[in-house]
Amino acid sequence: MEKIPQQHSGNCIKIVLFGPESTGKTTLSKALAKQYEAAWVPEFAREYLQQKWDQEQKICEPKDILPIAIGQMKLENAAANSRKKLVFCDTDLLETKVYSEAYYDGWCDEQVVAAALENEYDLYVLTYIDTPWQADDLRDRPEQREEMFALFENALIKNNRPYILVKGSIEERIKRITNHLNSILN
């Protein structure tokens, strides 16, 4: 069985966009990576699960959690080794852990739990649920956005992760993140 690759430090500042689905993480992470000429790490699960849906008409199952984590870490490590000063991650393994536990009655693969708790990031950007819900093949539970948001925020608090909360328009969110990053970078 393949194992989750160990996180590479890459001597870069790593920022994770974190929160429930349909809260603007991808849009924000791409925009920030472009603004800072930084590396961008997409959410591996989106491509993996979309392919599964397209081929089998199946959604995520417990057996998918480990391959998703492995794929995510491979993408992140490639970005960390890119020699960019900043890396913006559209997700991380802590997010995978939160989803797994929410969907599978508290269960998450032991490897994923261990890696999620060992991996380190300089900042988490918690995206609030004030963006309009956008349905697609993979998203569900629009009526549970508040509950899901609480799970994500609690994971950051419980695991003592440095984070800021962003709300409002994309411009307001980018401004808040930029102001915070400027204090880190200077």
Side-chain angles (χ1 to χ4, degrees):
M1 175 188 298
E2 192 173 5
K3 294 189 184 245
I4 298 172
Q6 195 166 27
Q7 184 185 44
H8 298 180
S9 68
N11 296 317
C12 57
I13 295 171
K14 293 181 184 174
I15 297 105
V16 178
L17 282 286
F18 193 79
E21 58 193 3
S22 196
T23 57
K25 295 183 304 283
T26 302
T27 301
L28 278 171
S29 60
K30 281 182 178 179
L32 290 162
K34 183 177 179 181
Q35 177 178 321
Y36 284 96
E37 297 179 8
W40 177 66
V41 181
E43 181 181 8
F44 181 81
R46 294 284 304 167
E47 183 178 325
Y48 177 95
L49 293 173
Q50 186 64 58
Q51 184 176 16
K52 180 176 180 152
W53 176 258
D54 292 345
Q55 292 174 356
E56 305 171 38
Q57 296 294 291
K58 289 185 179 178
I59 59 171
C60 189
E61 301 170 280
K63 69 179 183 175
D64 296 315
I65 299 301
L66 184 57
I68 287 169
I70 291 167
Q72 189 64 41
M73 285 311 302
K74 286 180 179 179
L75 291 175
E76 182 182 315
N77 285 340
N81 294 333
S82 70
R83 300 179 195 233
K84 297 281 188 175
K85 183 177 180 176
L86 291 170
V87 173
F88 290 93
C89 302
D90 192 348
T91 191
D92 77 333
L93 298 191
L94 184 58
E95 185 158 316
T96 304
K97 178 182 177 296
V98 170
Y99 272 119
S100 181
E101 291 171 349
Y103 279 73
Y104 307 121
D105 298 320
W107 176 87
C108 187
D109 182 281
E110 291 176 12
Q111 274 194 68
V112 176
V113 172
L117 300 179
E118 288 172 12
N119 290 352
E120 295 183 7
Y121 300 88
D122 297 282
L123 178 66
Y124 281 80
V125 176
L126 179 59
T127 53
Y128 193 62
I129 56 174
D130 58 347
T131 56
W133 177 266
Q134 293 185 9
D136 65 19
D137 293 337
L138 305 177
R139 292 182 176 148
D140 63 358
R141 301 187 181 186
E143 68 288 342
Q144 294 178 313
R145 291 181 92 188
E146 288 182 24
E147 177 185 335
M148 292 301 291
F149 178 81
L151 292 175
F152 282 94
E153 187 169 38
N154 289 337
L156 294 174
I157 293 167
K158 178 182 176 187
N159 294 290
N160 200 30
R161 302 297 169 112
Y163 78 96
I164 61 170
L165 173 64
V166 294
K167 296 180 177 184
S169 69
I170 188 166
E171 295 81 14
E172 292 169 317
R173 290 171 177 222
I174 288 174
K175 183 178 180 181
R176 173 141 166 72
I177 297 164
T178 300
N179 288 342
H180 192 83
L181 284 179
N182 288 343
S183 69
I184 293 173
L185 297 173
N186 295 328

